[in-house]
């Protein structure tokens, strides 16, 4: 039976033909949140080449989770990004920072500039939900961005979804950086992403299913 990792492999082939400079970026991402009961167990089962974006509700929880995951990501050579806190990312010497939309929109430019000065190998990804977000990713020189929600998702029940057609049109019209699909991504829904302009996918429940 096909798995989420199989879909990641197919998207990687498509992405590398379009974005050769981004070939080193993971095509699959695990996003942590409060629904992920055992992040360490989930991370241990991720395929080689997957990246991890650490998210948590409070700064203390974010630091605790990042510290817990860092040894395993380093041992397995999985890129680790921290959401929303470039200072913590620099202190823990992780691979990158992920900006929530509110931070990208309302001004963390000083932090972004300082983060970019850490070195070319440092990744900067950001959350996007519309055309303006994709334009912002280009302005901030992001390594990649997530576009969400593609499908119905437990994290935002009842929220309006983009759907594949609308998301694909946004990518073609606006995206200047690799775009990762997020929101309701699982083994079944991921199959519909092939050939739609996505450079990868990000999921929470999808990796545990």
């Amino acid at each position: 039976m096909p798995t989420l990792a199989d879909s990641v492999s197919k998207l990687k082939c498509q992405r590398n033909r379009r974005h050769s400079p981004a070939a080193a970026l993971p095509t699959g991402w695990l996003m942590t949140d409060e629904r992920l009961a055992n992040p360490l167990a989930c991370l241990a089962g991720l395929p080689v080449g997957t990246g991890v974006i650490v998210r948590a509700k409070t700064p203390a929880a974010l630091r605790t989770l990042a510290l817990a995951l860092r040894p395993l990501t380093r041992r397995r050579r999985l890129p680790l990004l921290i959401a929303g806190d470039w200072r913590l990312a620099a202190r823990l010497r992780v691979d990158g920072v992920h900006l929530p939309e509110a931070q990208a929109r309302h001004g963390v430019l000083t932090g972004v500039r300082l983060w970019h000065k850490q070195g070319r190998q440092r990744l900067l990804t950001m959350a996007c939900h519309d055309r303006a977000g994709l334009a912002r990713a280009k302005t901030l020189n992001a390594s990649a961005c997530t576009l969400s929600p593609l499908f119905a998702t437990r994290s935002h029940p009842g929220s309006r979804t983009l759907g594949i057609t609308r998301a694909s049109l946004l990518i073609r019209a606006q995206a200047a950086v690799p775009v990762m699909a997020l929101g309701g991504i699982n083994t079944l829904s991921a199959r519909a992403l092939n050939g739609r302009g996505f450079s990868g996918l990000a999921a929470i429940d999808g990796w545990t299913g």
Side-chain angles (χ1 to χ4, degrees):
M1 178 180 293
T3 65
L4 200 56
D6 295 327
S7 297
V8 165
S9 296
K10 290 180 181 179
L11 286 175
K12 183 176 182 179
C13 293
Q14 296 172 22
R15 193 273 301 283
N16 290 349
R17 288 196 292 268
R18 295 192 307 274
H19 296 286
S20 55
L25 277 171
T27 314
W29 292 90
L30 166 68
M31 310 281 288
T32 73
D33 75 358
E34 64 278 3
R35 289 176 294 151
L36 199 59
N38 193 337
L40 282 169
C42 183
L43 193 151
L46 292 177
V48 174
T50 308
V52 180
I53 296 177
V54 182
R55 302 182 300 176
K57 284 190 171 182
T58 67
L62 185 68
R63 182 177 183 277
T64 298
L65 184 55
L67 284 171
L69 295 180
R70 187 56 177 143
L72 184 53
T73 57
R74 185 174 286 150
R75 187 161 61 248
R76 297 200 58 211
R77 298 183 179 180
L78 304 179
L80 179 66
L81 278 61
I82 291 179
D85 192 337
W86 68 270
R87 291 183 180 84
L88 177 62
R91 191 158 58 247
L92 297 183
R93 297 174 182 250
V94 300
D95 303 282
V97 171
H98 178 75
L99 294 181
E101 185 185 41
Q103 283 190 344
R105 189 194 303 129
H106 295 302
V108 290
L109 294 184
T110 300
V112 168
R113 292 191 187 104
L114 290 173
W115 177 254
H116 278 311
K117 287 181 181 179
Q118 298 289 320
R120 291 185 179 181
Q121 75 279 13
R122 303 289 183 172
L123 300 175
L124 175 68
T125 64
M126 54 183 290
C128 300
H129 304 285
D130 51 26
R131 184 185 298 269
L134 293 175
R136 205 174 293 120
K138 178 182 179 180
T139 300
L140 294 181
N141 194 28
S143 310
C145 65
T146 60
L147 182 61
S148 66
L150 261 291
F151 308 104
T153 173
R154 284 202 301 141
S155 60
H156 296 88
S159 294
R160 180 185 178 187
T161 60
L162 289 168
I164 295 177
T165 300
R166 184 179 175 210
S168 297
L169 290 173
L170 285 174
I171 292 171
R172 292 192 184 100
Q174 192 66 50
V177 304
V179 178
M180 312 299 171
L182 174 65
I185 304 298
N186 54 41
T187 301
L188 181 61
S189 62
R191 298 177 199 170
L193 302 179
N194 287 325
R196 294 291 193 155
F198 295 97
S199 297
L201 55 83
I204 305 168
D205 293 339
W207 294 113
T208 62

